[in-house]
Amino acid sequence: MTLPEFFGCTFIAFGPPFALFIFTIGHDPVRIIILIAAAFFWLLSLLLSSLLWFAVIPLRDVLAFGVVFSVIFQECFRYIIYRILRSTEQGLHAVAEDTRVTDNKHILAYVSGLGFGIISGMFALVNVLADMSGPGTMGLKGGSEFFFITSAAQALSIILLHTFWSVIFFNAFDTNNYLHIAYVVGSHLFVSLLTLLNAEALYVATLLPNYIVTVLTGVLAFKVAGGTSRSFRKFITCQ
């Protein structure tokens, strides 16, 4: 059962992001470069968070401390990549085969957000997947059998959230909408702190609010990108 569980949870977490990459990013070299660059900036935020956690010895055992500063560093680097992309738009327009990547500013936000999300999901789930591949499985000695699928569902949620957050975040700075900036940072903190409940095996209390925030954030990102109920109906009906 370990390998079916491994592949099932892998596809739950990374199947939709992989599909997004194939259909919306993989055909354009510029978008691939932006996605990789965004992933690199997320890794830098993780490095700074780790250094801070290592330096502040008295608070090493306080997980909430590390979570809060990790979120702050991630949002700081989201702003840095926003500034970099906005300052290099003309150069990107000159080298891009598909000029929509710069003509539509939401595309840059979407691609960088997906890069943030994929690398974040990978770091959140890779160790779990390694344990999941065998030889044992969860639930035999008191552990919950729902741990693996919960971890996969949370990884998918955070990947989608990072994508939505970047669309909202970039547009908020373009339009000076500080309420949306506060929403991105606040919801990121809320979702991240919720994961601390997993230590008590409160998976429903973690996943349910997590996906409510994901849906609400997705709707907000859709509206920010210019989406309407009419355009959504056309998308659903393939018109």
Side-chain angles (χ1 to χ4, degrees):
M1 286 297 292
T2 55
L3 283 180
E5 193 173 35
F6 169 82
F7 285 110
C9 290
T10 300
F11 292 143
I12 288 173
F14 299 110
F18 181 71
L20 289 173
F21 174 81
I22 291 297
F23 290 110
T24 64
I25 295 175
H27 64 279
D28 188 349
V30 172
R31 298 187 191 189
I32 295 174
I33 293 171
I34 293 172
L35 182 138
I36 294 173
F40 173 73
F41 275 90
W42 186 91
L43 288 173
L44 289 180
S45 74
L46 178 64
L47 174 63
L48 289 182
S49 301
S50 301
L51 290 175
L52 180 64
W53 174 85
F54 185 79
V56 185
I57 297 175
L59 293 177
R60 285 186 184 177
D61 295 329
V62 183
L63 289 179
F65 167 77
V67 170
V68 169
F69 278 93
S70 176
V71 170
I72 292 173
F73 282 128
Q74 287 178 54
E75 295 306 327
C76 288
F77 276 93
R78 197 191 306 275
Y79 177 73
I80 291 173
I81 196 169
Y82 160 79
R83 297 298 304 175
I84 291 174
L85 290 175
R86 287 293 181 259
S87 63
T88 57
E89 280 184 349
Q90 291 184 350
L92 290 173
H93 186 82
V95 300
E97 297 178 3
D98 184 359
T99 57
R100 287 179 300 174
V101 73
T102 52
D103 292 338
N104 186 344
K105 294 185 177 182
H106 299 301
I107 293 179
L108 291 175
Y110 159 75
V111 174
S112 64
L114 188 59
F116 256 60
I118 289 175
I119 194 68
S120 176
M122 288 177 63
F123 267 79
L125 198 62
V126 65
N127 288 333
V128 177
L129 290 176
D131 292 336
M132 195 183 304
S133 59
T137 188
M138 291 292 291
L140 297 181
K141 293 186 178 180
S144 173
E145 67 272 22
F146 298 111
F147 172 73
F148 286 144
I149 194 168
T150 300
S151 300
Q154 285 182 333
L156 173 61
S157 173
I158 201 65
I159 293 171
L160 296 176
L161 277 170
H162 271 296
T163 307
F164 300 150
W165 282 330
S166 285
V167 173
I168 299 168
F169 191 84
F170 282 34
N171 181 79
F173 275 101
D174 287 338
T175 59
N176 294 322
N177 191 331
Y178 299 109
L179 182 61
H180 282 179
I181 296 172
Y183 172 80
V184 170
V185 178
S187 60
H188 193 174
L189 274 171
F190 174 71
V191 168
S192 298
L193 290 172
L194 271 179
T195 60
L196 298 178
L197 296 177
N198 287 339
E200 306 297 329
L202 300 174
Y203 300 133
V204 175
T206 301
L207 277 183
L208 185 59
N210 202 325
Y211 271 88
I212 290 174
V213 173
T214 302
V215 172
L216 293 176
T217 307
V219 171
L220 180 58
F222 178 71
K223 291 184 177 180
V224 160
T228 62
S229 57
R230 182 180 179 183
S231 63
F232 182 74
R233 285 195 300 270
K234 286 185 176 181
F235 167 74
I236 294 297
T237 57
C238 298
Q239 294 181 357

